Amino acid sequence: MLQIRNITKKYKKGNEVFTALDDVSFDVDKGDFITVTGHSGSGKSTLLNTIGGLIHPDNGTVLYNDENIYGYPQSKLDEYRKLKVGFIFQQFHLLPYLSVYENIKMACSEDKQVRRIGRYLEECSLSEQRNKFPAQLSVGEKQRTAFIRAIIGGPEFLLADEPTGNLDPGNCSILLDLISEYNKNGGTVILVSHHEPAAIYQTKGLQLQKGKIISQ
Ligand code: ADP
Ligand code: MG
């Protein structure tokens, strides 16, 4: 489904050039649950954002159904980001002045998705939080809201950037179970983490070190 080929990304830091990703290649098949582990600074977020269409690599291609997403015209790249990809982040990135329900509704592109919100809230034990604002939620509730927002539009794959980084072990396993459920229902997952809480779910594990894949 996705072929990541020879991705290199460099950042300028003052006069120095820092290589965040160095010739990274791997395949993502439909239904995969891929975990990417590596120390802080190893390039995990850069990799995820490159796959999600947010960071243009200096070299290499991200092939989605055999087409390079960075060869798309802007409108098609926007469509890829909006319709194919769901994102969750360690810091939730919920909009503070919108309720749980409204945060999720914003990510819907069709009425039938809006009609499913109630069921997802129920499944994620958030029904009573429906009209609360992010500041009134526990961290576990915030991340479950962000999870529903990421998948409500029916994305083909979920990109999760250290989604359990702020969660206690109980909330961590609840979230990973929900992500696993999404995966079992046909969704493809790429999850990055600096430790390995998701190892039991993965179909493939990659390790990044200084921008290079050292094992897969
Ligand atoms: P990770 O998610 O594994 O912690 P990142 O992909 O965030 O790693 O970053 C990899 C390296 O690239 C880090 O050294 C980071 O400081 C650097 N980096 C990331 N984004 C930028 C940026 N926008 N400008 C300059 N350097 C960056
Ligand atoms: Mg990161």
Side-chain angles (χ1 to χ4, degrees):
M1 186 169 84
L2 282 170
Q3 289 153 316
I4 319 301
R5 288 287 174 271
N6 309 105
I7 293 290
T8 297
K9 176 69 194 176
K10 297 175 192 232
Y11 292 114
K12 284 208 176 72
K13 283 187 179 171
N15 288 331
E16 288 179 31
V17 175
F18 180 84
T19 304
L21 291 177
D22 190 358
D23 199 23
V24 169
S25 299
F26 62 98
D27 287 350
V28 183
D29 294 322
K30 187 167 167 51
D32 267 347
F33 191 133
I34 295 182
T35 63
V36 182
T37 50
H39 294 303
S40 179
S42 58
K44 303 182 299 296
S45 296
T46 303
L47 176 62
L48 219 52
N49 288 321
T50 304
I51 297 169
L54 298 171
I55 292 181
H56 209 298
D58 298 313
N59 272 304
T61 51
V62 175
L63 299 172
Y64 169 67
N65 294 339
D66 300 323
E67 289 180 333
N68 180 17
I69 62 167
Y70 292 103
Y72 284 162
Q74 189 63 42
S75 59
K76 198 165 174 203
L77 184 61
D78 291 345
E79 194 184 288
Y80 168 85
R81 285 185 197 139
K82 189 165 162 43
L83 300 180
K84 309 296 182 195
V85 189
F87 258 107
I88 35 175
F89 307 92
Q90 181 173 355
Q91 306 293 350
F92 323 119
H93 293 190
L94 298 171
L95 293 173
Y97 302 110
L98 295 181
S99 68
V100 164
Y101 180 84
E102 291 163 336
N103 262 284
I104 298 166
K105 189 173 175 217
M106 272 204 48
C108 296
S109 53
E110 298 171 17
D111 286 348
K112 71 171 190 235
Q113 293 165 1
V114 177
R115 290 195 293 273
R116 280 190 211 127
I117 296 176
R119 199 185 76 213
Y120 277 111
L121 290 173
E122 184 82 38
E123 284 170 10
C124 295
S125 311
L126 285 171
S127 297
E128 287 172 25
Q129 276 65 39
R130 181 186 178 103
N131 296 316
K132 288 189 181 167
F133 294 98
Q136 300 170 302
L137 303 175
S138 72
V139 287
E141 290 164 351
K142 283 183 203 175
Q143 197 58 305
R144 294 203 297 281
T145 302
F147 167 75
I148 302 173
R149 181 189 55 185
I151 62 158
I152 194 74
E156 288 192 31
F157 49 96
L158 179 66
L159 302 178
D161 194 350
E162 311 217 26
T164 58
N166 282 324
L167 304 184
D168 56 78
N171 275 305
C172 175
S173 66
I174 292 170
L175 184 77
L176 290 175
D177 282 344
L178 289 168
I179 294 176
S180 168
E181 201 59 35
Y182 163 80
N183 177 240
K184 284 185 190 138
N185 289 327
T188 303
V189 177
I190 307 176
L191 182 146
V192 312
S193 173
H194 61 277
H195 57 304
E196 298 185 6
I200 56 167
Y201 302 103
Q202 77 194 25
T203 56
K204 193 190 283 182
L206 306 180
Q207 230 183 320
L208 265 184
Q209 192 179 70
K210 295 183 183 167
K212 274 186 178 297
I213 290 185
I214 53 165
S215 71
Q216 65 173 304

